[in-house]
Amino acid sequence: MMADVLEVATGARPGGWAAPYKAVLASRIRAQRAYPAGFALDIVGSWLVGLTEFGELFVIFHNIGILGGLDFHAMLLLFGLSNLSWSIADMVVGHVDTLPTYVRAGTLDAFFLRPQPVLAQLVTSEFSLRRLARLTVGLVTMCVGLVINDVTWSVAVVGLLVLAIVFGTAIFAACFVAAASLQFFLINGAELTNTFTYGGSYASAQPAAIFPTPLKLVFGFLVPVAFTSYLPTLWILGLPGPSLLPTWLVWLLPVAAAWSWAMALLLWSWGCRHYQGGGG
Amino acid sequence: MHADWQTYRQLFVAGFRRQTAYRLAMFAGLATNVVFGFIRSAILFAAVESAGGELAGYSAGTISAYVWLSQGLLGAIQLTGAAEIGDRIRTGDVAIDFTRPVDVQTWHLAEDLGRAAYSMIPRGVPSVVVGALTFGLVMPATVLPYVLGAVSIVIGVAISFYCRYAINIVGFWLLDTRGVRSLYMVTSTFLAGLYVPVALFPDWLHTLAYLTPFPSILQSPIDVVSGQVTGLDAVGVVGMQVFWLAVTCLVGRVLTTAGRHKLVVQGG
Amino acid sequence: MSEVIIELEELTREFVVRRKGDGRRRRRHTIAAVDAMSWSVRAGESVGYIGANGAGKSTTIKMLSGILVPTSGSVRTCGLEPVGQRRDLARRIGVVFGQRSQLWWDLPLEESFSILAAIHQLDPGRGKSRTDELVEQLEMGETLQTPVRQLSLGQRMRAEIAAALLHEPALLILDEPTIGLDVLSKARLREFLIHERTTHGTTLLLTTHDMGDIERLCDRVLVVDRGRLVYDGTLPGLAGTVGARRMLVVDLAAPAADLVDVPHTTHVASEADGLRQRLAFDAEQTTAAEVLAAVAERVEVRDLSIEEPDIEDVVRRIYQTQR
């Protein structure tokens, strides 16, 4: 009975609005489980990437004690939280950067011929289970960071963590979508879109206090990745924020996410219009 | 082989010319270089400041030079591990390549050098200019570092090519080189000193890095051009680069011969 | 009076083509892929849409289905505006692009069908019965478990068409569906389409290079040349307009004299001393079967083939007569 209610509520029953997405996603996940060897290789690769990113942090702190007001332990939390949210976004939405491939193969046209929004189809066209491994790097680092920093636990702290992960992921997902939208205009522009995706990730894992004002404005408000991990880290550790980014701003995370998505959807509709205008 | 310098010069020019079709992609690459340059400069400036103004031999000005030179050279050295030979092996077109009277490895080297040379225009020089105008950087006032540096950069690009060539030649034996290339990209970018200067590495990691050709691709040319190493030290660095150039070239040649043998015997 | 399913009015689609002039000056000029086309199709009709490559057929279809925006003029499909009401339209039409696939490459065929049933939000009962019906009609029972990428071209085309018909659309658009298919597959596909139309009354718009498709499937032919509509009528009328003829090529068991007295044909050529003979006949006056029967009465036939009038030839001739 409960299962029925849940099914109807989420539109997942056959014929409901979510049924199309559920069908595609379920089949993609099933398809991936059939290739365990590739899976293993991807796990190793993901860990290695996570390791080198962490390595950068490690090497810097081998030389100094404090960076932008944060010590190594605080950086662990920052790094972990950023990595975690980004990895979840990558797993769910990361494949949208294959848009050019879809265009070439005619798959995008197939999306136009179906009764769902094109972006929704693109996002749900794949679910990269193998990126699950990358997630563990962030998760582990974050947990270590929470423990090692002697955090005073409270409902607010837990709530903020949940908020940070949920809306942080949303902000990164918006970055992916914005990056994909640009692919409509730049056929070989994968490099530029990296600015949004990997650049955003990189910037989010740094203490924004080190940024000169222009960068603070960009990564704090235009593409608000500072909201995903830096502000939450400051708040949880009870540290003061830099100029322009007081810590209470962190409670506006949902607003930051909404703003990111508004921009991403705008870019996406421009991109679609361009494609339908013959730019394909 | 029958080909002479004329042929290689033509291949170089061809490699250069081919890039002109990708102007938009090049500027996109520049934009990415600049954004990452900003972030890295901010990080390392803060690190230098935190260390009291001097960090492992770098001042704020010289570390900025390091950041912007490395960003600028990224287009040329292509640490992603991609190489055209990889595609040609995958499609089987490489069999045709072996029938031509040009040494396959050197041919691709010539084209790659042309490509790298072109990338200096939209990406290399502009990156350094942006860095100079925004964060400011300190570069040598004498001529010698630039002359030696130019040589060093060319050698660095060549080493990078030989490495990528070897990685992709493995495609004769592995069906899918994607995993190997990913692995290459991750380790090479870190050990080449792209994230942080190798000088900052802890001793054990420092030693490990110099046991690979990677620092010779990026860190060494930058050190020479920016004047971080001077005089005899600089010559020594270039000498080490030449060593790695020979090693990576040789590895590539050995693998090519083996691969060619396999192609002939097994039919690819 | 049946409703209008497709309506084009002065529909135009231009593309800007950049071509490098001499030196480094770039020349830009505009070409009209579709040039002020006006025509309409009523429910239940079966229309062939033919023309040379690059004549504007695929562009028209993209505008009909909402993938491409017109430069000027208007188009309405199933009474809807294709670009603005794309999602509503998607429920009412099915499109098959010959060269591209709408199925999931690495999954068993039946999974593609079940996903599509979910995409079109069909009730499970209806989805299942419809799938079964199509599978049976198209004889795909044995291929249901096969991953789509392992299907032969003929099997894949049948699957694509089934996929496009799953949600029982009012309009089915096929873009070069029989390209590369062997004779038997083509015949079966045509039979299926005829049956589908009879049972469901689906409107059919078909682009093809194969006159046999048109002959078997379409009541009406639209000919497009360089973006403009140059003929709208029946197929016999079309062939008649330009005097285009089909050619029967027979290989005989033994060399024979030229067959000049077969009714409604013209003897065009003989090879190898009369071992192979070419007879042209007018599709309006007779059929291949009749001609073959007449030939067989006179000589022993070992092998035969039929050459269709070249579409480009037909179109060119039409264009010239239209001037």
Side-chain angles (χ1 to χ4, degrees), chain A residues 122-138:
Chain A
L122 182 62
V123 166
T124 56
S125 68
E126 189 63 80
F127 187 87
S128 311
L129 261 186
R130 54 190 171 82
R131 301 185 199 195
L132 203 65
R134 185 81 182 270
L135 218 137
T136 56
V137 173

Side-chain angles (χ1 to χ4, degrees), chain C residues 147-167:
Chain C
V148 171
R149 67 169 187 272
Q150 288 175 12
L151 295 176
S152 71
L153 184 60
Q155 290 167 331
R156 221 203 80 213
M157 266 337 283
R158 281 182 275 150
E160 298 281 346
I161 292 180
L165 288 170
L166 202 62
H167 54 292

